Amino acid sequence: MLKKNQFVKKKLKNTQKAKHYYFNGIKKDSIENSFLNFMLIDDLCLAIMPFNPRSNTKLKIEINPYSKKVEDLILNSLITQFGKAWDIKESVCNFVNELSHSLVYFGKVYYEIVYYLSNEENIEYFEFRNIQHDFVHNFFEFYWQFFPKNKQKKIKRYNFLPKNRIMFLSIPKELGGFKKYRNTLRLLYSLRESVLPKFALSDMMKQKSSRGYDYLMYRNCYEEEVAKITKKFGWNARGTFQKRSSEYYYFYRFLKFNKTKAILREYIIKILNKSLKEIGKIMHFDANILIKGLPTSKDYDKHLEELNKGNLQFKDIIYIEKDF
């Protein structure tokens, strides 16, 4: 049973402006549902924050400058599917893990900052509520929802959202941005039926051979295409082309992929702190989240440079992530 937020029992007014809309039409298969995309998305989210933050002695998550009141406020406001966390470390880790999955799945996410009030002036706490990105439009930080026509439900098709209550995240430019990321997913999606050529599958069903082909050559081309498409992220595709990779190339992509996850982590924390600054203007506090003890993207740049110079041994690379 999930633990409830300590404020939920109170009947509080809230400032929510975004509306939920459930699409009843037939939706085509999304590009995220191919097995290659599923693996990529899952691997990008995997261990973006430590699995068990409370037992990780190197990891330190602090409120800067420290305030017990602000820490408790943030602890009770970062609500996730895991329920209320035990401390600020677990709270931030759970929130980043949950947010990162939505981000890499869709490429962009919108959250509304909702305030809960006991009266018109007294704000008890706040909450980040995910908004369905399908119906949100963004033009130079001007946000609105636009809903399709629905004969069964009479609903206002335009819904404008306050700029200072929206937390918007998109794939960082260092990783190609939203459009290039979605294009990567489309290219991987196009390979969903390429494990075997169509004529070979047809022959297997008919139990006959209409034409011959070199399966090994075909498979090599397939693996090379996967490696080429995911080169920007450094994804090893769970060893798909490991047998044909040199040790150097394998560990180079290993470090680069971990750098990709570090960039995502740093970006999420940056946007979260930006939103806390806006919240602080309303709730009268000035603090941000500070994370120590996790490898940064600059750390991985140094590791990659040392690897290229031949100063970093392959066995040492494995231990870089041992405590993570």
Side-chain angles (χ1 to χ4, degrees), residues 268-292:
I268 292 171
I269 295 299
K270 177 184 174 182
I271 299 301
L272 180 57
N273 280 328
K274 182 180 177 182
S275 296
L276 286 176
K277 188 174 182 180
E278 290 295 327
I279 294 167
K281 293 177 183 178
I282 304 296
M283 301 190 69
H284 310 294
F285 68 82
D286 183 14
N288 56 53
I289 296 170
L290 189 64
I291 297 181
K292 298 178 182 178

Side-chain angles (χ1 to χ4, degrees), residues 223-275:
E223 292 174 0
E224 288 170 8
E225 190 65 18
V226 174
K228 181 181 177 181
I229 292 171
T230 59
K231 181 180 177 182
K232 181 74 175 178
F233 308 118
W235 187 46
N236 276 320
R238 299 187 181 179
T240 298
F241 42 84
Q242 185 175 351
K243 290 182 179 179
R244 301 178 59 227
S245 302
S246 64
E247 285 185 313
Y248 167 82
Y249 187 67
Y250 176 83
F251 283 110
Y252 174 84
R253 288 184 72 118
F254 173 81
L255 289 173
K256 195 169 182 180
F257 190 65
N258 280 292
K259 177 189 173 183
T260 296
K261 292 197 286 187
I263 290 172
L264 282 171
R265 178 170 62 247
E266 291 163 4
Y267 171 72
I268 292 171
I269 295 299
K270 177 184 174 182
I271 299 301
L272 180 57
N273 280 328
K274 182 180 177 182
S275 296

Side-chain angles (χ1 to χ4, degrees), residues 53-67:
R54 293 172 62 198
S55 64
N56 191 318
T57 56
K58 290 186 177 181
L59 175 65
K60 295 186 182 300
I61 299 180
E62 303 169 349
I63 303 301
N64 183 42
Y66 179 74
S67 167

Side-chain angles (χ1 to χ4, degrees), residues 33 76 87 91 110 128 133-134 160 203 212 232 243 266:
N33 291 336
N76 287 289
D87 54 26
S91 178
Y110 297 87
F128 291 103
H133 76 284
D134 295 352
F160 295 98
D203 287 351
K232 181 74 175 178
K243 290 182 179 179
E266 291 163 4

